[in-house]
Amino acid sequence: MRKVENNKAWWLVLPVFILVAFSAVIPLMTVVNYSVQDIFDQNNAYFVGVEWYREVLLDTRLQESLIRQFIFSFTVLAIEIPLGIAIALMMPTKGRMASVSLIIVAIPLLVPGNVVGTIWKIFGRADVGLLGWALNSLGIDYNYAANPMDAWFTVVLMDVWHWTPLVALLCYSGLRAIPDAFYQAAAIDRASNWAVFRYIQLPRLKSVLVIGTLLRFMDSFMIYSEPFVLTGGGPGSSTTFLSQTLTKMAIGQFDLGPAAAFSLVYFLIVLLASWLFFTTITEMDKDK
C-alpha cells in the first residue's frame, strides 16, 4: 500500500516565505526595475537597458571607493583576527572572573554604530578628546578632520575597538569546546605553550575562524554609520567607502536609476568576494 504523505506542515513555513517575499524579494525586484529605467517622476520613466550599469562600472568614484573598501576590510581583518585570538587565550575559563571578563569584552558590541562614531569623534578631538590630546602631547600632529592618514588611522582603530570582541568571543567559545583530554596529553608530553596552541588550539579553532572571518569581512565591506558620523567620508573622499558613495548618489543626488544599478553591483561584489574568501579558506584547510 502506498504511503500517504502529509504536506500540512508546509503551511507552517508559509508565513516565513511571505515575510521573505515582502522584506527581500519584492524590494530586490523593485531595485532591478529601477536599474533599467530613467526615472523623472512617478509617471515618467523610460527604459534604458544596461546604460546605468555601464555608467556605474566606468565611474571613477565607484572604482576609488572599491579600492578603499578592500584596503579597509583587509586591514581590519589582519588586525582583528590575531588580536581576537590573543584576547580569547588570555581570558579566564573558570570562576567568577570568567563571567566578568565575558561581560567586559562584550560591551563594545552593544554600542550602536552611530553612537560608536560619535564616541570616537569626541575621543579623537585634540581639545576635549583623550586620544587627540595624548597624541598631541607626545608631539604627534594628529588631526583626523584634516589629515587623511590620521582619519584612516582613527577609522581603523574605531572598527578594531568595536568588532574585535566578536572575534574574541567566537574564539573563546571554540577554546572552551576543546576536551580536557587534549591538554592532559600535552601536559604528559611536556609540550610548550606554543606547541599547545599550534597543534591543539589553532586546528580546533579553524571552523570558528572561518565564520568569524566571513562575518567580519562582510560587515566591514558594508560599513557606513561609523565613518559617516566620524569623518563624513573626509577629509576630501579619503574615508568614503562604497556604502557612502551609494547613499550620496541615491539620497543626495536622487539619481535612482544609477543608484539602483550601483546597489546591485555592490551586492554582487559582496557576494562574490565572500564566496571567494570562503572557498579559498576551505581549500587551504583541505590541503593541510
Side-chain angles (χ1 to χ4, degrees), residues 135 140-155 235:
L135 292 176
I140 301 174
D141 186 15
Y142 169 80
N143 187 351
Y144 69 82
N147 190 313
M149 290 303 298
D150 293 343
W152 259 94
F153 168 76
T154 309
V155 171

Side-chain angles (χ1 to χ4, degrees), residues 71-185:
I71 294 174
F72 173 77
S73 295
F74 284 116
T75 300
V76 296
L77 282 177
I79 298 173
E80 291 174 7
I81 299 301
L83 184 59
I85 295 174
I87 293 174
L89 291 172
M90 292 186 292
M91 291 173 63
T93 58
K94 297 179 181 179
R96 183 177 300 175
M97 288 305 299
S99 300
V100 173
S101 63
L102 286 173
I103 294 173
I104 294 175
V105 170
I107 287 176
L109 298 175
L110 304 177
V111 185
N114 56 343
V115 178
V116 171
T118 304
I119 291 173
W120 280 85
K121 188 172 186 177
I122 299 173
F123 187 56
R125 289 181 56 176
D127 52 352
V128 296
L130 180 60
L131 176 63
W133 174 83
L135 292 176
N136 287 322
S137 298
L138 294 174
I140 301 174
D141 186 15
Y142 169 80
N143 187 351
Y144 69 82
N147 190 313
M149 290 303 298
D150 293 343
W152 259 94
F153 168 76
T154 309
V155 171
V156 170
L157 187 61
M158 174 180 61
D159 192 84
V160 169
W161 174 83
H162 193 193
W163 290 110
T164 299
L166 174 64
V167 181
L169 293 176
L170 288 173
C171 293
Y172 183 80
S173 64
L175 291 172
R176 292 294 301 270
I178 300 176
D180 292 335
F182 287 88
Y183 296 109
Q184 294 171 1

Side-chain angles (χ1 to χ4, degrees), residues 19-55:
L19 181 63
V20 171
F22 277 99
S23 63
V25 178
I26 294 177
L28 180 61
M29 292 299 101
T30 304
V31 172
V32 172
N33 181 45
Y34 283 175
S35 69
V36 295
Q37 296 190 64
D38 191 359
I39 301 173
F40 294 95
D41 54 45
Q42 290 182 341
N43 300 319
N44 294 310
Y46 301 93
F47 181 79
V48 294
V50 296
E51 178 64 29
W52 296 136
Y53 291 95
R54 186 183 299 109
E55 179 180 311

